[in-house]
Amino acid sequence: MSQHPNAVLALMSNDVLARMQPHLDVVPLESGAVLGEPFRRIPHAYFPHSAMNRVTVQIRGEASGISLAQFAALMLEISELRKGVIRFEQYLFAQAQQTGACNAHHTVSQKLCKWLLRMHDLTGPVLPLTQEFIAYMIGVRRTSVSDAAKTLQADGLIDYHRGTIRVLNKTKMESQACECADDLRNQYRDAMLAEEVA
Ligand SMILES: [Zn+2]
């Protein structure tokens, strides 16, 4: 495995990355940008270097872009790349199923903790996120996010100031997050680190 910041590209050997590198351009991604499905946008496929869900960039950062025609050619040529993309699709599918169950059974505060932990894992303790955006990402009303964030701040779990959340107490946050956080991490591990794709 390589040290590439994109989860799929990190699975690739250095040989494969070296073959892809001449075709990859690093492009900036704005928070909230909608790219369409990763790997399928026309005319470019993107491999984000930071957090995004199926369609939305969660925290601004960069991506490696490649023309779709070139990507298709490389997929045909390199089985390792094909397998990496399939694994990532399996992870996204598991994540979507998990999210449905979570929405039905857990409180806004539990979901907020879970989601902040996931962002924390991906980008560190300082998260440039507005309440509107968080509300959109976890699928609840902005006022619900505001209430939950106030409580978390009063309890010393976060500092929320001018659109930036700083996670102050990760351990306490883990104890309050719904268990879906661990499920997602396990699914991610299973999907991305499996030896072979069935
Ligand atoms: Zn949940």
Side-chain angles (χ1 to χ4, degrees), residues 80-183:
E80 194 180 319
L81 180 60
R82 228 163 32 236
K83 286 179 181 175
V85 171
I86 290 167
R87 278 179 203 177
F88 193 67
E89 289 290 336
Q90 288 174 335
Y91 163 67
L92 290 177
F93 183 69
Q95 187 186 45
Q97 288 187 318
Q98 182 64 61
T99 300
C102 177
N103 286 345
H105 299 294
H106 297 133
T107 66
V108 172
S109 180
Q110 286 177 305
K111 283 180 223 176
L112 181 58
C113 286
K114 175 191 72 171
W115 193 71
L116 289 176
L117 284 171
R118 205 191 311 165
M119 294 298 101
H120 183 288
D121 280 357
L122 290 166
T123 66
V126 179
L127 308 168
L129 300 163
T130 64
Q131 293 189 352
E132 287 80 2
F133 186 63
I134 295 169
Y136 172 72
M137 292 314 306
I138 64 178
V140 301
R141 293 161 48 149
R142 195 196 65 78
T143 49
S144 307
V145 171
S146 177
D147 291 346
K150 268 181 211 148
T151 306
L152 293 181
Q153 178 147 290
D155 292 346
L157 276 68
I158 61 169
D159 176 54
Y160 199 172
H161 195 64
R162 290 186 192 160
T164 298
I165 294 181
R166 186 181 294 269
V167 176
L168 300 176
N169 192 333
K170 189 169 179 245
T171 310
K172 208 166 167 189
M173 186 172 277
E174 278 165 348
S175 75
Q176 294 192 17
C178 61
E179 65 268 30
C180 305
D182 284 335
D183 287 354

Side-chain angles (χ1 to χ4, degrees), residues 46-68:
Y46 290 102
F47 299 93
H49 298 175
S50 57
M52 72 177 288
N53 69 1
R54 205 167 179 85
V55 292
T56 312
V57 179
Q58 298 195 354
I59 295 191
R60 64 180 171 271
E62 293 179 330
S64 296
I66 184 171
S67 87
L68 206 61

